[in-house]
PDB file of all heavy atoms in Angstrom:
ATOM      1  N   LEU A 144     152.348 160.437  78.339  1.00  0.00           N
ATOM      2  CA  LEU A 144     151.356 160.772  79.177  1.00  0.00           C
ATOM      3  C   LEU A 144     150.470 159.681  79.714  1.00  0.00           C
ATOM      4  O   LEU A 144     149.936 159.691  80.830  1.00  0.00           O
ATOM      5  CB  LEU A 144     150.500 162.009  78.682  1.00  0.00           C
ATOM      6  CG  LEU A 144     149.691 161.815  77.387  1.00  0.00           C
ATOM      7  CD1 LEU A 144     148.321 161.503  77.622  1.00  0.00           C
ATOM      8  CD2 LEU A 144     149.808 163.133  76.584  1.00  0.00           C
ATOM      9  N   ASP A 145     150.246 158.671  78.803  1.00  0.00           N
ATOM     10  CA  ASP A 145     149.374 157.470  79.251  1.00  0.00           C
ATOM     11  C   ASP A 145     150.153 156.581  80.192  1.00  0.00           C
ATOM     12  O   ASP A 145     149.615 155.987  81.041  1.00  0.00           O
ATOM     13  CB  ASP A 145     148.889 156.753  78.050  1.00  0.00           C
ATOM     14  CG  ASP A 145     147.734 157.411  77.390  1.00  0.00           C
ATOM     15  OD1 ASP A 145     147.054 158.279  78.028  1.00  0.00           O
ATOM     16  OD2 ASP A 145     147.380 157.124  76.217  1.00  0.00           O
ATOM     17  N   THR A 150     146.399 161.963  83.143  1.00  0.00           N
ATOM     18  CA  THR A 150     144.929 162.229  83.299  1.00  0.00           C
ATOM     19  C   THR A 150     144.357 161.669  84.554  1.00  0.00           C
ATOM     20  O   THR A 150     143.566 162.325  85.241  1.00  0.00           O
ATOM     21  CB  THR A 150     144.181 161.703  82.129  1.00  0.00           C
ATOM     22  OG1 THR A 150     144.679 162.334  80.905  1.00  0.00           O
ATOM     23  CG2 THR A 150     142.631 162.012  82.196  1.00  0.00           C
ATOM     24  N   GLY A 178     136.070 151.127  82.522  1.00  0.00           N
ATOM     25  CA  GLY A 178     137.070 151.280  81.597  1.00  0.00           C
ATOM     26  C   GLY A 178     138.399 151.275  82.310  1.00  0.00           C
ATOM     27  O   GLY A 178     138.921 152.317  82.707  1.00  0.00           O
ATOM     28  N   GLY A 180     141.643 151.310  81.431  1.00  0.00           N
ATOM     29  CA  GLY A 180     142.559 151.627  80.378  1.00  0.00           C
ATOM     30  C   GLY A 180     143.593 152.650  81.039  1.00  0.00           C
ATOM     31  O   GLY A 180     143.788 152.813  82.125  1.00  0.00           O
ATOM     32  N   ALA A 181     144.176 153.449  80.076  1.00  0.00           N
ATOM     33  CA  ALA A 181     145.164 154.462  80.395  1.00  0.00           C
ATOM     34  C   ALA A 181     144.613 155.432  81.509  1.00  0.00           C
ATOM     35  O   ALA A 181     145.357 155.709  82.480  1.00  0.00           O
ATOM     36  CB  ALA A 181     145.647 155.218  79.155  1.00  0.00           C
ATOM     37  N   VAL A 182     143.419 155.876  81.306  1.00  0.00           N
ATOM     38  CA  VAL A 182     142.883 156.750  82.353  1.00  0.00           C
ATOM     39  C   VAL A 182     142.466 156.111  83.643  1.00  0.00           C
ATOM     40  O   VAL A 182     142.815 156.498  84.711  1.00  0.00           O
ATOM     41  CB  VAL A 182     141.674 157.646  81.644  1.00  0.00           C
ATOM     42  CG1 VAL A 182     140.968 158.489  82.738  1.00  0.00           C
ATOM     43  CG2 VAL A 182     142.158 158.425  80.488  1.00  0.00           C
ATOM     44  N   SER A 201     135.758 147.737  85.199  1.00  0.00           N
ATOM     45  CA  SER A 201     135.289 147.028  83.977  1.00  0.00           C
ATOM     46  C   SER A 201     136.201 147.308  82.750  1.00  0.00           C
ATOM     47  O   SER A 201     136.918 148.247  82.757  1.00  0.00           O
ATOM     48  CB  SER A 201     133.853 147.464  83.700  1.00  0.00           C
ATOM     49  OG  SER A 201     133.807 148.755  83.186  1.00  0.00           O
ATOM     50  N   ASP A 202     136.003 146.435  81.776  1.00  0.00           N
ATOM     51  CA  ASP A 202     136.542 146.666  80.419  1.00  0.00           C
ATOM     52  C   ASP A 202     135.547 146.031  79.500  1.00  0.00           C
ATOM     53  O   ASP A 202     134.418 145.691  79.864  1.00  0.00           O
ATOM     54  CB  ASP A 202     138.034 146.106  80.373  1.00  0.00           C
ATOM     55  CG  ASP A 202     138.033 144.533  80.574  1.00  0.00           C
ATOM     56  OD1 ASP A 202     137.037 143.894  80.441  1.00  0.00           O
ATOM     57  OD2 ASP A 202     139.217 144.163  80.929  1.00  0.00           O
ATOM     58  N   THR A 203     135.929 145.924  78.168  1.00  0.00           N
ATOM     59  CA  THR A 203     135.024 145.480  77.231  1.00  0.00           C
ATOM     60  C   THR A 203     134.452 144.012  77.506  1.00  0.00           C
ATOM     61  O   THR A 203     133.442 143.648  77.003  1.00  0.00           O
ATOM     62  CB  THR A 203     135.561 145.532  75.830  1.00  0.00           C
ATOM     63  OG1 THR A 203     136.934 144.935  75.838  1.00  0.00           O
ATOM     64  CG2 THR A 203     135.669 146.939  75.208  1.00  0.00           C
ATOM     65  N   ALA A 253     135.556 156.012  82.249  1.00  0.00           N
ATOM     66  CA  ALA A 253     136.784 156.178  81.595  1.00  0.00           C
ATOM     67  C   ALA A 253     136.907 155.345  80.373  1.00  0.00           C
ATOM     68  O   ALA A 253     137.854 154.717  80.113  1.00  0.00           O
ATOM     69  CB  ALA A 253     137.953 155.838  82.594  1.00  0.00           C
ATOM     70  N   ALA A 254     135.760 155.280  79.648  1.00  0.00           N
ATOM     71  CA  ALA A 254     135.676 154.450  78.484  1.00  0.00           C
ATOM     72  C   ALA A 254     135.124 155.253  77.267  1.00  0.00           C
ATOM     73  O   ALA A 254     135.842 155.924  76.571  1.00  0.00           O
ATOM     74  CB  ALA A 254     134.828 153.201  78.682  1.00  0.00           C
ATOM     75  N   ARG A 255     133.766 155.179  77.049  1.00  0.00           N
ATOM     76  CA  ARG A 255     133.153 155.657  75.924  1.00  0.00           C
ATOM     77  C   ARG A 255     132.162 156.868  76.096  1.00  0.00           C
ATOM     78  O   ARG A 255     131.794 157.088  77.326  1.00  0.00           O
ATOM     79  CB  ARG A 255     132.350 154.539  75.281  1.00  0.00           C
ATOM     80  CG  ARG A 255     133.144 153.275  75.022  1.00  0.00           C
ATOM     81  CD  ARG A 255     134.048 153.304  73.873  1.00  0.00           C
ATOM     82  NE  ARG A 255     133.363 153.724  72.674  1.00  0.00           N
ATOM     83  CZ  ARG A 255     133.954 154.210  71.530  1.00  0.00           C
ATOM     84  NH1 ARG A 255     135.218 154.574  71.656  1.00  0.00           N
ATOM     85  NH2 ARG A 255     133.192 154.480  70.446  1.00  0.00           N
ATOM     86  N   GLY A 275     136.223 160.952  83.531  1.00  0.00           N
ATOM     87  CA  GLY A 275     137.430 160.694  82.924  1.00  0.00           C
ATOM     88  C   GLY A 275     137.355 160.719  81.394  1.00  0.00           C
ATOM     89  O   GLY A 275     138.121 161.236  80.669  1.00  0.00           O
ATOM     90  N   ALA A 276     136.283 160.081  80.935  1.00  0.00           N
ATOM     91  CA  ALA A 276     136.034 159.993  79.528  1.00  0.00           C
ATOM     92  C   ALA A 276     135.486 161.339  79.034  1.00  0.00           C
ATOM     93  O   ALA A 276     134.977 162.070  79.818  1.00  0.00           O
ATOM     94  CB  ALA A 276     135.050 158.847  79.183  1.00  0.00           C
ATOM     95  N   ASN A 277     135.463 161.570  77.727  1.00  0.00           N
ATOM     96  CA  ASN A 277     134.865 162.769  77.137  1.00  0.00           C
ATOM     97  C   ASN A 277     133.440 162.507  76.907  1.00  0.00           C
ATOM     98  O   ASN A 277     132.990 161.458  76.456  1.00  0.00           O
ATOM     99  CB  ASN A 277     135.507 163.147  75.851  1.00  0.00           C
ATOM    100  CG  ASN A 277     136.969 163.614  76.112  1.00  0.00           C
ATOM    101  OD1 ASN A 277     137.235 164.325  77.124  1.00  0.00           O
ATOM    102  ND2 ASN A 277     137.868 163.100  75.264  1.00  0.00           N
TER     103      ASN A 277
HETATM  104  P1  NAD B   1     142.130 153.204  76.570  1.00  0.00           P
HETATM  105  O1  NAD B   1     141.901 152.690  75.290  1.00  0.00           O
HETATM  106  O2  NAD B   1     143.453 153.139  77.130  1.00  0.00           O
HETATM  107  O3  NAD B   1     141.106 152.510  77.714  1.00  0.00           O
HETATM  108  C1  NAD B   1     139.825 152.400  77.520  1.00  0.00           C
HETATM  109  C2  NAD B   1     139.319 151.199  78.293  1.00  0.00           C
HETATM  110  O4  NAD B   1     137.936 151.136  78.322  1.00  0.00           O
HETATM  111  C3  NAD B   1     139.821 149.881  77.852  1.00  0.00           C
HETATM  112  O5  NAD B   1     140.155 149.031  78.952  1.00  0.00           O
HETATM  113  C4  NAD B   1     138.580 149.260  77.244  1.00  0.00           C
HETATM  114  O6  NAD B   1     138.599 147.781  77.360  1.00  0.00           O
HETATM  115  C5  NAD B   1     137.462 149.850  78.068  1.00  0.00           C
HETATM  116  N1  NAD B   1     136.108 149.959  77.444  1.00  0.00           N
HETATM  117  C6  NAD B   1     135.873 150.313  76.134  1.00  0.00           C
HETATM  118  N2  NAD B   1     134.481 150.310  75.984  1.00  0.00           N
HETATM  119  C7  NAD B   1     133.933 149.890  77.213  1.00  0.00           C
HETATM  120  C8  NAD B   1     132.626 149.835  77.729  1.00  0.00           C
HETATM  121  N3  NAD B   1     131.645 150.014  76.902  1.00  0.00           N
HETATM  122  N4  NAD B   1     132.517 149.353  79.004  1.00  0.00           N
HETATM  123  C9  NAD B   1     133.573 149.126  79.855  1.00  0.00           C
HETATM  124  N5  NAD B   1     134.821 149.357  79.344  1.00  0.00           N
HETATM  125  C10 NAD B   1     135.055 149.720  78.145  1.00  0.00           C
HETATM  126  O7  NAD B   1     141.680 154.762  76.501  1.00  0.00           O
HETATM  127  P2  NAD B   1     141.942 155.865  77.549  1.00  0.00           P
HETATM  128  O8  NAD B   1     143.113 156.700  76.985  1.00  0.00           O
HETATM  129  O9  NAD B   1     142.031 155.416  79.062  1.00  0.00           O
HETATM  130  O10 NAD B   1     140.745 156.843  77.366  1.00  0.00           O
HETATM  131  C11 NAD B   1     139.429 156.563  77.927  1.00  0.00           C
HETATM  132  C12 NAD B   1     138.500 157.725  77.642  1.00  0.00           C
HETATM  133  O11 NAD B   1     139.096 158.934  78.253  1.00  0.00           O
HETATM  134  C13 NAD B   1     138.326 158.072  76.203  1.00  0.00           C
HETATM  135  O12 NAD B   1     137.004 158.540  76.126  1.00  0.00           O
HETATM  136  C14 NAD B   1     139.246 159.179  75.928  1.00  0.00           C
HETATM  137  O13 NAD B   1     138.802 160.099  74.859  1.00  0.00           O
HETATM  138  C15 NAD B   1     139.189 159.946  77.276  1.00  0.00           C
HETATM  139  N6  NAD B   1     140.385 160.788  77.581  1.00  0.00           N
HETATM  140  C16 NAD B   1     141.571 160.218  77.666  1.00  0.00           C
HETATM  141  C17 NAD B   1     142.747 160.905  78.004  1.00  0.00           C
HETATM  142  C18 NAD B   1     144.125 160.407  78.076  1.00  0.00           C
HETATM  143  O14 NAD B   1     144.993 160.994  78.619  1.00  0.00           O
HETATM  144  N7  NAD B   1     144.344 159.173  77.581  1.00  0.00           N
HETATM  145  C19 NAD B   1     142.516 162.352  78.345  1.00  0.00           C
HETATM  146  C20 NAD B   1     141.206 162.836  78.305  1.00  0.00           C
HETATM  147  C21 NAD B   1     140.222 162.085  78.009  1.00  0.00           C
END
Side-chain angles (χ1 to χ4, degrees):
L144 62 94
D145 281 343
T150 302
V182 172
S201 69
D202 59 23
T203 43
R255 308 286 301 158
N277 294 317

